[in-house]
């Protein structure tokens, strides 16, 4: 427990400065497969992360089996999807870790922009394993340990990715540099700032975000290396 | 609800679109705040209980820094199931616009959400929920905006209010997912115009008519 709390604190410290976007940078239009991220990983403080394909994961399967539907083969399910969904399903990944006995799951997506790899994270759900139940009215799996918080929405955070076979680095965007670009009018990125509640949000469309990363994605000033999340592959 | 299956699997996140009027910015500036002591106490309706206390009853750390010096002018609200289970905690800001009172709710931690990892939470953003209230004959009427009322006005070009479209990873852009980004003045002008339209709000019923069951 102590280690878990410590790692929780560590994660919060190293990745606390993300300026969120309400829109994704990576969509079905530019999502790409990144198989080298798949596997079991540990960060410097001992937190274990699992990265798997979202399609076929237990999380995706829960949604299907809970409905008491006969689950079709992956191939059949893919064939029945809209092209946008199919492309997303074939590339989107699920990253999960446990903290405070709660399993945290986020959708992880990758894309290459000007030959550099970028990652995008967005929260999916938090739950206490074993507490899920099927909500017939909404056709979804819910969890007794997490409530609906309609006033809290999932945003997107973006990272530059560096990887070797056994190491994966997520380098977050440097908020100070990005805000500087925006407030000085050097980058036309729509964003909202609420002084009273001290919140800032990027509201640019995915198309604008892609153009921005095409222009600044290889500028080292845009990324905060000191806050890099370094994952080491767990070797069997 | 989105038609494609990915959405049905990305469950909890996407069913939140219909929750009355949600805005990115508050509907008030500190000078607009109204404090009515008759709101304080515990209120019960069919299926839920509200507990309203002054914001001075919570730690200053739970209040955004620019608002801390005004903590005698707003509330902290606990929304509970009828069995007493805490559902949500919010900072609650009362504003009078025209003849009507509106509450701006801004979420703060519950005991349950406090266990969620910080990194996960920092990838979420908070919105304000706007509700019209009235107190009459010892009853508190709590009327949320009809789900998607404003979004429909926008789609039908019946209102001009600042918003942005929210895209999903897996689908073409559509008009079903809008985020109201209007600033405080614009929101107040909207409420001034639409606050009197009964069709904008959920009808009064047993689940949104509260009776005070105890004082503070």
């Amino acid at each position: 427990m102590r280690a878990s709390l410590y790692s929780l604190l560590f994660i919060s410290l190293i990745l606390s400065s993300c300026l969120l976007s309400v829109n994704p940078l990576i969509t079905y239009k530019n999502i790409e497969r990144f198989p080298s991220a798949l596997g079991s990983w540990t960060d410097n403080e001992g937190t274990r992360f699992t990265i798997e394909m979202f399609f076929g994961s237990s999380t995706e399967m829960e949604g299907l089996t809970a409905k008491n539907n006969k689950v079709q083969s992956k191939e059949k399910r893919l064939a029945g999807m809209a092209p946008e969904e199919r492309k997303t399903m074939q590339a989107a990944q699920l990253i999960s870790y446990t903290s405070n006995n709660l399993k945290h799951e986020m959708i992880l997506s990758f894309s290459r922009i000007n030959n550099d790899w970028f990652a995008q994270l967005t929260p999916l759900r938090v739950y206490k394993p074993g507490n899920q139940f099927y909500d017939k009215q909404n056709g979804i799996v819910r969890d007794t340990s997490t409530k609906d918080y309609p006033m809290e929405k999932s945003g997107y955070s973006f990272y530059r990715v560096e990887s070797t076979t056994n190491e994966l680095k997520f380098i977050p965007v440097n908020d100070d540099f990005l805000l500087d670009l925006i407030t000085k009018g050097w980058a036309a990125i729509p964003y909202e700032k609420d002084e009273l509640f001290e919140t800032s949000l990027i509201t640019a469309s995915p198309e604008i975000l892609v153009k921005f990363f095409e222009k600044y994605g290889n500028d080292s000033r845009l990324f905060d290396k000191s806050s890099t999340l370094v994952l080491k592959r767990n070797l069997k | 609800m989105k038609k494609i299956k990915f959405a049905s699997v990305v469950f909890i996140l996407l069913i939140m679109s219909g929750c009355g009027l949600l805005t990115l910015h508050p509907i008030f500036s500190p000078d607009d705040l109204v404090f009515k002591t008759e709101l304080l106490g515990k209120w019960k309706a069919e299926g839920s209980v509200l507990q309203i206390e002054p914001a001075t009853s919570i730690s200053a750390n739970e209040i955004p820094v620019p608002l801390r010096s005004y903590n005698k002018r707003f509330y902290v609200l606990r929304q509970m199931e009828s069995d007493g289970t805490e559902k949500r905690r919010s900072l609650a800001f009362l504003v009078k616009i025209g003849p009507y009172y509106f509450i701006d709710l801004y979420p703060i931690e519950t005991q349950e959400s406090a266990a969620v990892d910080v990194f996960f939470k920092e990838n979420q953003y908070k919105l304000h929920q706007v509700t019209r209230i009235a107190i009459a004959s010892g009853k508190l009427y709590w009327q949320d905006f009809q789900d998607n009322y404003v979004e429909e006005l926008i789609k039908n070009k019946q209102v001009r209010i600042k918003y942005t479209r929210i895209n999903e990873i897996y689908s073409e852009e559509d008009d079903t997912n809008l985020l109201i980004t209007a600033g405080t003045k614009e929101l107040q002008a909207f409420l001034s115009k639409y606050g009197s339209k009964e069709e904008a709000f959920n009808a009064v019923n047993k689940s949104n008519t509260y009776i005070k069951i105890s004082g503070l």
Side-chain angles (χ1 to χ4, degrees), chain A residues 54-118:
Chain A
F54 178 80
F55 185 55
S57 66
S58 59
T59 299
E60 190 232 0
M61 297 304 286
E62 273 171 27
L64 299 170
T65 54
K67 293 177 185 175
N68 295 321
N69 288 344
K70 189 181 174 188
V71 179
Q72 295 177 316
S73 67
K74 280 186 178 182
E75 291 71 23
K76 279 189 178 173
R77 286 196 285 132
L78 281 174
M81 291 175 188
E84 301 90 353
E85 183 186 20
R86 190 181 309 125
K87 189 172 177 221
T88 308
M89 279 291 199
Q90 289 175 316
Q93 299 181 357
L94 182 71
I95 182 168
S96 58
Y97 62 98
T98 299
S99 173
N100 282 349
N101 295 320
L102 293 174
K103 191 162 182 184
H104 296 68
E105 294 182 336
M106 303 175 88
I107 298 289
L108 173 63
S109 314
F110 291 91
S111 184
R112 212 169 4 188
I113 298 173
N114 292 338
N115 288 321
D116 291 317
W117 282 97
F118 294 90

Side-chain angles (χ1 to χ4, degrees), chain B residues 76-146:
Chain B
V76 60
L77 171 81
R78 289 176 69 207
Q79 291 170 285
M80 295 170 279
E81 313 276 5
S82 48
D83 65 1
T85 311
E86 188 172 71
K87 201 174 159 190
R88 284 187 220 158
R89 270 175 90 231
S90 311
L91 299 177
F93 305 89
L94 184 64
V95 186
K96 191 175 186 190
I97 297 173
Y100 297 98
Y101 286 96
F102 295 91
I103 284 243
D104 178 323
L105 297 179
Y106 190 76
I108 54 175
E109 295 279 30
T110 61
Q111 197 173 4
E112 195 172 59
S113 68
V116 174
D117 176 46
V118 177
F119 174 51
F120 189 94
K121 280 191 279 203
E122 284 175 348
N123 275 274
Q124 295 179 306
Y125 56 93
K126 295 179 179 180
L127 298 176
H128 297 259
Q129 185 172 25
V130 182
T131 298
R132 190 177 74 175
I133 69 155
I135 301 178
S137 308
K139 291 179 178 172
L140 169 61
Y141 299 94
W142 191 271
Q143 287 181 279
D144 289 328
F145 270 83
Q146 293 265 4

Side-chain angles (χ1 to χ4, degrees), chain A residues 65-235:
Chain A
T65 54
K67 293 177 185 175
N68 295 321
N69 288 344
K70 189 181 174 188
V71 179
Q72 295 177 316
S73 67
K74 280 186 178 182
E75 291 71 23
K76 279 189 178 173
R77 286 196 285 132
L78 281 174
M81 291 175 188
E84 301 90 353
E85 183 186 20
R86 190 181 309 125
K87 189 172 177 221
T88 308
M89 279 291 199
Q90 289 175 316
Q93 299 181 357
L94 182 71
I95 182 168
S96 58
Y97 62 98
T98 299
S99 173
N100 282 349
N101 295 320
L102 293 174
K103 191 162 182 184
H104 296 68
E105 294 182 336
M106 303 175 88
I107 298 289
L108 173 63
S109 314
F110 291 91
S111 184
R112 212 169 4 188
I113 298 173
N114 292 338
N115 288 321
D116 291 317
W117 282 97
F118 294 90
Q120 167 180 283
L121 278 175
T122 188
L124 179 59
R125 65 170 178 166
V126 179
Y127 67 100
K128 193 172 283 182
N131 277 13
Q132 299 94 324
F133 65 97
Y134 182 56
D135 174 349
K136 277 186 182 172
Q137 191 181 344
N138 291 299
I140 57 169
V141 176
R142 285 180 184 278
D143 186 86
T144 52
S145 66
T146 52
K147 294 278 191 290
D148 294 344
Y149 296 106
M151 297 125 85
E152 295 179 16
K153 303 271 188 186
S154 290
Y156 298 89
S157 54
F158 311 125
Y159 307 84
R160 188 184 170 101
V161 177
E162 290 176 7
S163 73
T164 61
T165 309
N166 293 321
E167 192 173 82
L168 190 55
K169 292 181 180 175
F170 294 93
I171 311 167
V173 168
N174 182 339
D175 291 350
D176 291 339
F177 180 73
L178 178 56
L179 282 173
D180 213 32
L181 285 178
I182 295 171
T183 53
K184 287 180 176 164
W186 294 340
I189 299 280
Y191 94 116
E192 295 286 333
K193 184 169 188 181
D194 181 357
E195 304 282 356
L196 208 49
F197 286 80
E198 300 179 300
T199 53
S200 296
L201 265 183
I202 295 171
T203 53
S205 68
E207 291 73 24
I208 290 176
L209 290 170
V210 168
K211 280 182 188 162
F212 175 78
F213 275 84
E214 283 172 350
K215 186 172 180 184
Y216 287 98
N218 58 3
D219 186 333
S220 61
R221 294 173 299 170
L222 183 63
F223 301 95
D224 181 6
K225 279 215 164 194
S226 65
S227 298
T228 302
L229 172 64
V230 181
L231 299 181
K232 305 267 189 199
R233 188 179 293 281
N234 296 328
L235 303 172

